[in-house]
Amino acid sequence: MTNATINTVTISKADIPSGGMKSYKQEDDSIILITRDDDEFHAFDGKCPHAGADLGTGLRCGNRVVCPWHHATFDSRDGSLLEPIATAGLTRYTVTDNGDKLLIDTSVQLNERVEHDKLPDTHTIIVGGGGAGFMTAHQLRQGGYGGKITLISKEDKAPYNRPLLSKAFLAGKMSEDKLLLGGSDWASNNNIDLRLNQTVSKVLPNESTIVIEDNHGNSERQSADFLVVATGAEPNFPPIKGAEMDGVYTLRSMEDAKLIKAASHDQRVVIIGTGFIGMEVASALAQAGTTASITVVGQSDRVMGNIVSETVSNALIKLHKDQGIQFVFDASVNEITKVENKSDNNEARQTFSQVGGVILASGEHIDADIVILGTGVSANTELLEEVNDLDGVQVDSKLQLRDGVYALGDIAKASGQMGRMRIEHWRVALQHGLVAAAAILKDETVETLDARVPFFWTMQFGKSLRYSGHAQTPNNSILLGTPDTLDYIEYYFDDEGEGSHENSRATAASTLGRDQELIAFAELLRIGQAPTRAQINSGFDIIEQAQASSP
Ligand SMILES: Cc1cc2nc3c(=O)[nH]c(=O)nc-3n(C[C@H](O)[C@H](O)[C@H](O)COP(=O)(O)OP(=O)(O)OC[C@H]3O[C@@H](n4cnc5c(N)ncnc54)[C@H](O)[C@@H]3O)c2cc1C
Ligand code: FES
């Protein structure tokens, strides 16, 4: 491949197999992705619009180009967005056929301008400015919605990338403004009436009406043609004596992250909980390098014990220990203790209390200056509680509760490809936004949750563990590879009795380092052809299988 002019790239057709794709890295660090079906070639910007992964290192299954990092998916023919985490499709370039070569002109982009002419006289109200609320508003505009969009959030910030709080932001690698979804002008650029610092105190689904309260206690009723409720979740406070005192933190919002960042300098930090939030916070604070020490306390002897097997858990523990994180396992915290301190304030001696440590059920005391609770979340379902159940708002595979009323994200117990479930994952929340926007626009070309599977990732010390599907427990599993060298894929099964059901299909898989295999698994899962124990044990080629089976 050569650069003919600054914008034109020449590519040999023979390089790309029919039904396949290939990416070409340019000297200026840009990437061109070519997809081919017989004599039809398409050219795109090959950097994933989400976080820049080289899409050529992902997998193409049928018409789906899947990103290796967080499974954003694009149509191989026109680059349109099929699955988040990306929020837009790929930039398309012109391709000129020149015998056995292709000329790609990156200065000419083929993407069509979206006209906002659909449902012009309607009003959509979105309650909650998190991932699901943002994605609904964004996709409505991307899909040509011309009506009014009001997005209400009780936070003081425009929608931001919540998962990055416990990764880049706490680690000191990314500033607050870089976390804003769609950039700082997203709302005005998309003509969205963004109402911050406002709490919706009531939703009347039968009347498609909400009641908003501002910080001064004033209330206002608003009605809409479409009502989307995406109020997310709040951290749990376990029944530990002292859990409510100053110096004890949870992490859900930007505000929380800023408080933890400010409070943890030179302090001994105890994190309660070994789920992914606890582990990510430990990793991010260690990378920031500003704390005196970090100790993680867990109830069992595993980390992320409801997600990965003991072997993978041990590899993660080693990764953390190698970076100086201390663990106390098989321990439950009975009490967070306080100490009285004296300070000189305007020359007047004042006494104040602060965290002194935690006392375990065994009686052991661990010194601490701050405590961070990573003890799970509860969905904010109360606004819709009276019309549904406590364990999540039951909605259909278009996230619809009733005509024109939708519930999405962490609160939704939606029916989908894997049955009815409530899932607390970022990409799932964005999926919900994509699907709900299409439902409002009555766009039948966008697949419902019936053709989508969950995906989750966590990043610790620069290593990304990715997970697709859903399993009740990680304990019925088949492990391939070596978690110790961070190169493995593990398949999970929802049946009892290991090895006894050779024809049972895996319901989930996790990986470190085997991204194409995980994509292949997710693609097979979504078409109901996840691998069986027998197939996995026989060493079948899952990538080949996914590519052969994809429609
Ligand atoms: C630190 C952190 C890291 C995470 N990392 C990952 C990860 O790596 N991978 C992953 O898959 N998932 C991750 N998650 C989970 C993921 O962020 C959530 O699943 C996702 O944010 C859910 O989106 P949502 O829109 O349903 O809710 P949220 O993002 O929580 O948004 C809900 C919004 O509604 C607002 N709200 C609530 N009630 C009202 C009301 N009455 N009136 C007005 N506004 C209201 C809230 O203030 C909030 O802004 C992480 C979560 C956290 C906290
Ligand atoms: S970089 Fe592609 S989905 Fe995140």
Side-chain angles (χ1 to χ4, degrees):
M1 182 181 51
T2 54
N3 279 339
T5 73
I6 195 126
N7 292 318
T8 309
V9 178
T10 309
I11 285 167
S12 165
K13 284 182 180 175
D15 270 5
I16 310 151
S18 181
M21 65 174 180
K22 192 168 163 63
S23 62
Y24 298 84
K25 197 149 193 178
Q26 305 299 294
E27 275 168 17
D28 63 358
D29 199 40
S30 64
I31 297 173
I32 293 175
L33 178 78
I34 310 288
T35 61
R36 175 178 189 176
D37 291 289
D38 299 321
D39 287 331
E40 203 177 303
F41 293 86
H42 300 282
F44 306 98
D45 180 344
K47 275 194 181 176
C48 179
H50 173 235
D54 177 350
L55 291 170
T57 64
L59 204 65
R60 179 176 170 190
C61 292
N63 293 325
R64 294 162 61 85
V65 173
V66 186
C67 176
W69 289 357
H70 315 101
H71 292 202
T73 304
F74 309 92
D75 193 305
S76 61
R77 297 158 296 184
D78 60 7
S80 57
L81 181 71
L82 301 176
E83 282 279 13
I85 272 176
T87 57
L90 301 178
T91 301
R92 287 173 72 192
Y93 301 134
T94 56
V95 181
T96 308
D97 196 320
N98 193 12
D100 56 359
K101 304 256 185 265
L102 300 171
L103 301 182
I104 316 300
D105 187 347
T106 57
S107 66
V108 184
Q109 302 181 358
L110 296 176
N111 303 64
E112 284 162 21
R113 212 181 110 76
V114 177
E115 297 298 334
H116 295 126
D117 53 1
K118 295 184 184 146
L119 303 169
D121 299 320
T122 61
H123 183 194
T124 299
I125 292 180
I126 301 168
V127 184
F134 162 82
M135 193 65 170
T136 310
H138 193 71
Q139 289 303 312
L140 278 172
R141 285 291 183 244
Q142 297 269 96
Y145 183 70
K148 181 175 177 194
I149 301 176
T150 305
L151 178 58
I152 304 158
S153 177
K154 65 180 182 187
E155 292 192 61
D156 62 0
K157 279 217 96 51
Y160 55 86
N161 192 322
R162 204 172 296 282
L164 286 184
L165 292 178
S166 52
K167 301 174 181 70
F169 183 74
L170 264 192
K173 292 179 181 169
M174 197 177 267
S175 63
E176 191 178 335
D177 56 326
K178 289 275 184 307
L179 261 64
L180 291 174
L181 295 170
S184 52
D185 297 328
W186 170 75
S188 55
N189 286 347
N190 287 282
N191 191 18
I192 286 158
D193 180 14
L194 181 60
R195 302 181 61 167
L196 301 176
N197 284 316
Q198 301 200 343
T199 302
V200 171
S201 57
K202 225 177 242 171
V203 171
L204 309 167
N206 293 334
E207 300 159 41
S208 225
T209 294
I210 58 164
V211 179
I212 310 172
E213 271 175 22
D214 67 19
N215 287 347
H216 310 291
N218 305 315
S219 69
E220 170 194 346
R221 278 169 84 95
Q222 278 216 20
S223 298
D225 302 280
F226 306 101
L227 188 53
V228 176
V229 184
T231 42
E234 294 292 335
N236 294 328
F237 276 83
I240 297 173
K241 191 173 168 204
E244 308 277 346
M245 84 166 95
D246 284 352
V248 180
Y249 298 88
T250 55
L251 176 57
R252 182 73 191 180
S253 64
M254 173 75 80
E255 197 53 40
D256 299 337
K258 286 202 263 188
L259 288 173
I260 291 173
K261 216 172 170 180
S264 54
H265 267 255
D266 298 327
Q267 303 292 291
R268 294 162 302 174
V269 179
V270 162
I271 297 167
I272 302 178
T274 50
F276 83 90
I277 289 284
M279 297 299 282
E280 284 195 354
V281 170
S283 149
L285 289 179
Q287 288 176 80
T290 52
T291 55
S293 66
I294 302 168
T295 305
V296 183
V297 181
Q299 278 184 319
S300 73
D301 60 356
R302 305 241 299 247
V303 298
M304 302 206 322
N306 58 343
I307 299 173
V308 294
S309 70
E310 190 175 359
T311 316
V312 177
S313 161
N314 286 341
L316 292 173
I317 293 168
K318 182 171 181 308
L319 178 69
H320 281 248
K321 281 187 173 169
D322 287 349
Q323 303 289 336
I325 309 289
Q326 299 163 55
F327 287 91
V328 181
F329 287 120
D330 296 314
S332 54
V333 175
N334 272 4
E335 184 179 345
I336 300 171
T337 57
K338 64 178 170 188
V339 288
E340 303 293 335
N341 269 329
K342 295 196 185 319
S343 75
D344 287 326
N345 189 359
N346 295 335
E347 293 174 13
R349 303 272 292 166
Q350 285 191 342
T351 304
F352 66 95
S353 59
Q354 66 180 72
V355 166
V358 299
I359 301 178
L360 307 180
S362 63
E364 187 189 342
H365 186 272
I366 303 170
D367 292 337
D369 305 304
I370 72 166
V371 170
I372 302 169
L373 303 174
T375 43
V377 295
S378 299
N380 293 327
T381 52
E382 47 303 331
L383 286 177
L384 287 167
E385 200 179 288
E386 65 185 73
V387 294
N388 225 285
D389 78 54
L390 282 171
D391 181 38
V393 185
Q394 291 202 18
V395 285
D396 65 16
S397 61
K398 291 183 175 176
L399 288 313
Q400 189 161 257
L401 176 66
R402 61 190 56 183
D403 247 10
V405 181
Y406 301 82
L408 4 165
D410 281 4
I411 65 167
K413 197 169 174 184
S415 93
Q417 203 276 359
M418 302 194 70
R420 181 178 289 289
M421 52 184 71
R422 191 177 73 74
I423 292 183
E424 296 157 359
H425 295 167
W426 181 250
R427 181 170 172 276
V428 171
L430 300 188
Q431 257 177 352
H432 286 185
L434 184 85
V435 171
I440 290 171
L441 291 165
K442 297 208 180 332
D443 182 351
E444 299 290 333
T445 64
V446 174
E447 288 173 321
T448 68
L449 294 185
D450 291 327
R452 296 174 192 268
V453 295
F455 169 85
F456 157 84
W457 87 107
T458 169
M459 189 180 252
Q460 297 164 27
F461 293 110
K463 308 292 175 207
S464 278
L465 187 148
R466 313 186 212 280
Y467 181 101
S468 191
H470 183 266
Q472 303 296 337
T473 154
N475 295 336
N476 302 322
S477 61
I478 299 177
L479 174 65
L480 305 179
T482 48
D484 271 347
T485 59
L486 309 178
D487 169 27
Y488 84 92
I489 185 161
E490 185 167 65
Y491 297 96
Y492 308 104
F493 297 82
D494 263 349
D495 58 356
E496 304 279 316
E498 218 169 313
S500 58
H501 306 285
E502 282 299 292
N503 292 321
S504 296
R505 293 187 187 277
T507 61
S510 79
T511 190
L512 273 158
R514 298 194 176 188
D515 295 331
Q516 287 191 327
E517 287 170 54
L518 188 72
I519 297 173
F521 170 76
E523 290 300 299
L524 287 169
L525 183 65
R526 70 179 282 279
I527 56 172
Q529 294 183 29
T532 62
R533 275 202 179 84
Q535 283 176 311
I536 296 166
N537 285 330
S538 72
F540 89 131
D541 185 333
I542 192 166
I543 294 175
E544 208 175 274
Q545 177 81 12
Q547 290 185 318
S549 309
S550 295

